[in-house]
Amino acid sequence: MNQTMEKDKTDKKDHILDVAEKVFAELGYDGASTRLISGEAGVNMAMLNYYFGSKEGVFLAIFERRIATFQSSLLAIGNDDTANTWDKLDMYVDSYVERVVNNNCFHIMLNREISKSKKTDMTDQITTIIMKNVTVFQDIIATGIKTGEFNKDVDQQLLVATIFGTKNYLINTPHISSRVIGYDVMEQDNQEKLLKPRLKTYLKKLLKAYLQN
Amino acid sequence: MNQTMEKDKTDKKDHILDVAEKVFAELGYDGASTRLISGEAGVNMAMLNYYFGSKEGVFLAIFERRIATFQSSLLAIGNDDTANTWDKLDMYVDSYVERVVNNNCFHIMLNREISKSKKTDMTDQITTIIMKNVTVFQDIIATGIKTGEFNKDVDQQLLVATIFGTKNYLINTPHISSRVIGYDVMEQDNQEKLLKPRLKTYLKKLLKAYLQN
DNA sequence: TTAAATTAATCAATCGTTTGATTAATTTTG
DNA sequence: CAAAATTAATCAAACGATTGATTAATTTAA
């Protein structure tokens, strides 16, 4: 009894966060009103404040919910010492593409807010999270260079911009990228069958071309 | 007399647009209020509507002002038939990096609005503009493949995502990219002496590694 | 003097949030 | 067990603040 009640409540909060995440991705944080979010979610407006305290609380709740899975999948790669660095790099690309495309609404929302050049509490928090992801990638590259597997004459830091930037371009500017690659990148079927495998293959090939001796 | 008057008026309008561009980049379109923009520009709030009709009018005016130089520099490269395709590619990278870094506030503003996944008049207009830039790059790649200068086994379309995505990452997420590359990418001195030459060199090298046979 | 430029004051609309009341569910008490 | 007390969830209504926009009055310039 108590269990099902708790379950229902969590489901409801999760449902609100699902909808909010989508609306934030569509209209941006400032452009999405609490009225619209609550309306789309089919709940009373006051429930947002009751559950999450404030509009920013909703935003942060979306955040915290995604972080959990985020962190664990990163650790898995970082701690795997069996693979050589090239394999590790491939694993990272696979995991990263999978994760980002699956949570594309979240990443659109994320990148929209971090692109505000004015520094705020929100941009600071987002920066911290994203940097953890970046560091794992940087460590792999640094290791490969140290072991001599990768060409030492590469720009490690701009390579970060390339890998994450390529992904951002496809996911965060769907109107543009859909025109460029010829199909709707926001449609889930296209993402699974076309975008994911293609992006994985491409990024690995690009890294190989640039990093090999 | 009339000339100086016209000049002064144009200067004032330009000044408002300069400030608005910066504020839009800092806070986003929705986050930037007309009161703040007019305050920062040191003019009465009503002047925005007097000059540009509406807040959206200010946004579009910023747009139109940048488009002119935008288009002309694109044509220059497209029409140059003397160079071989590799040289043309280098020229494009130089021109592109120069243009984007110089107008970084504009591009931050631009990409924030195009990243709204909901289709609007604004996203349509922005898409049209950006696609012109993309097409020039795509034509160069297509030519190089046709002439056999470039490897034919490349993903032309995702390469677009890489070139423009790398730039976007550096310019549009300054909090992140500044941490990654170690200095403030928004500071003009850093942009001129460090970022521009480095990015030009890097992009050419990356393209060469991926495109060569 | 007349048209253009600029201002302060004001507008309706919308924003995020809070309120007090109501219902439903749970716990406590006799 | 059953009545009473307590808690949690939900709602419509309204809050003060801020939004973009407009007005009417005033100043400036030709």
Side-chain angles (χ1 to χ4, degrees), chain A residues 112 115 157 162 198 202, chain B residues 112 115 155 157 162 198 202:
Chain A
R112 266 190 63 80
S115 79
Q157 297 167 340
T162 290
R198 184 174 171 185
Y202 169 77
Chain B
R112 266 190 64 80
S115 79
D155 193 324
Q157 297 168 338
T162 291
R198 184 175 171 184
Y202 169 77

Side-chain angles (χ1 to χ4, degrees), chain B residues 21-81:
Chain B
E21 196 175 68
K22 199 173 168 187
V23 177
F24 279 143
E26 278 177 355
L27 303 168
Y29 179 80
D30 293 306
S33 72
T34 54
R35 276 171 181 77
L36 180 60
I37 293 172
S38 59
E40 293 277 310
V43 301
N44 189 280
M45 202 176 54
M47 296 307 292
L48 297 191
N49 295 294
Y50 182 71
Y51 280 142
F52 308 106
S54 66
K55 182 184 181 182
E56 187 171 339
V58 175
F59 187 84
L60 293 177
I62 294 173
F63 230 86
E64 285 162 12
R65 192 175 60 147
R66 296 283 179 212
I67 299 301
T69 54
F70 199 82
Q71 304 282 33
S72 62
S73 63
L74 277 181
L75 274 176
I77 297 170
N79 292 338
D80 187 346
D81 286 333

Side-chain angles (χ1 to χ4, degrees), chain B residues 5-200:
Chain B
M5 206 288 263
E6 278 291 326
K7 189 75 190 311
D8 286 348
K9 181 181 154 190
T10 304
D11 280 354
K12 193 162 192 175
K13 289 175 99 172
D14 255 346
H15 174 243
I16 293 176
L17 294 182
D18 283 340
V19 172
E21 196 175 68
K22 199 173 168 187
V23 177
F24 279 143
E26 278 177 355
L27 303 168
Y29 179 80
D30 293 306
S33 72
T34 54
R35 276 171 181 77
L36 180 60
I37 293 172
S38 59
E40 293 277 310
V43 301
N44 189 280
M45 202 176 54
M47 296 307 292
L48 297 191
N49 295 294
Y50 182 71
Y51 280 142
F52 308 106
S54 66
K55 182 184 181 182
E56 187 171 339
V58 175
F59 187 84
L60 293 177
I62 294 173
F63 230 86
E64 285 162 12
R65 192 175 60 147
R66 296 283 179 212
I67 299 301
T69 54
F70 199 82
Q71 304 282 33
S72 62
S73 63
L74 277 181
L75 274 176
I77 297 170
N79 292 338
D80 187 346
D81 286 333
T82 59
N84 69 24
T85 319
W86 282 110
D87 291 340
K88 222 169 185 173
L89 196 58
D90 282 356
M91 282 170 54
Y92 181 86
V93 169
D94 284 336
S95 161
Y96 179 68
V97 169
E98 200 68 34
R99 185 156 34 90
V100 166
V101 176
N102 286 344
N103 304 321
N104 62 79
C105 282
F106 174 64
H107 278 85
I108 290 175
M109 186 190 88
L110 199 74
N111 273 277
R112 266 190 64 80
E113 296 316 309
I114 193 62
S115 79
K116 290 176 180 171
S117 57
K118 178 164 237 174
K119 197 174 182 179
T120 62
D121 286 346
M122 213 179 256
T123 60
D124 279 347
Q125 286 184 302
I126 298 176
T127 301
T128 303
I129 300 298
I130 294 182
M131 283 306 293
K132 287 186 181 174
N133 204 0
V134 170
T135 305
V136 172
F137 177 77
Q138 283 184 311
D139 285 348
I140 296 176
I141 302 298
T143 302
I145 292 175
K146 200 156 57 181
T147 63
E149 288 168 282
F150 300 166
N151 182 352
K152 71 179 202 310
D153 264 352
V154 298
D155 193 324
Q156 291 184 52
Q157 297 168 338
L158 289 196
L159 190 58
V160 168
T162 291
I163 298 304
F164 295 94
T166 301
K167 178 277 297 180
N168 281 351
Y169 190 85
L170 294 172
I171 298 296
N172 300 342
T173 64
H175 299 107
I176 305 290
S177 60
S178 294
R179 291 270 300 263
V180 169
I181 69 176
Y183 51 80
D184 185 358
V185 297
M186 292 298 278
E187 207 178 300
Q188 200 171 354
D189 203 50
N190 289 337
Q191 290 179 350
E192 289 300 325
K193 293 177 182 166
L194 301 174
L195 186 62
K196 275 185 184 179
R198 184 175 171 184
L199 183 56
K200 287 175 186 175

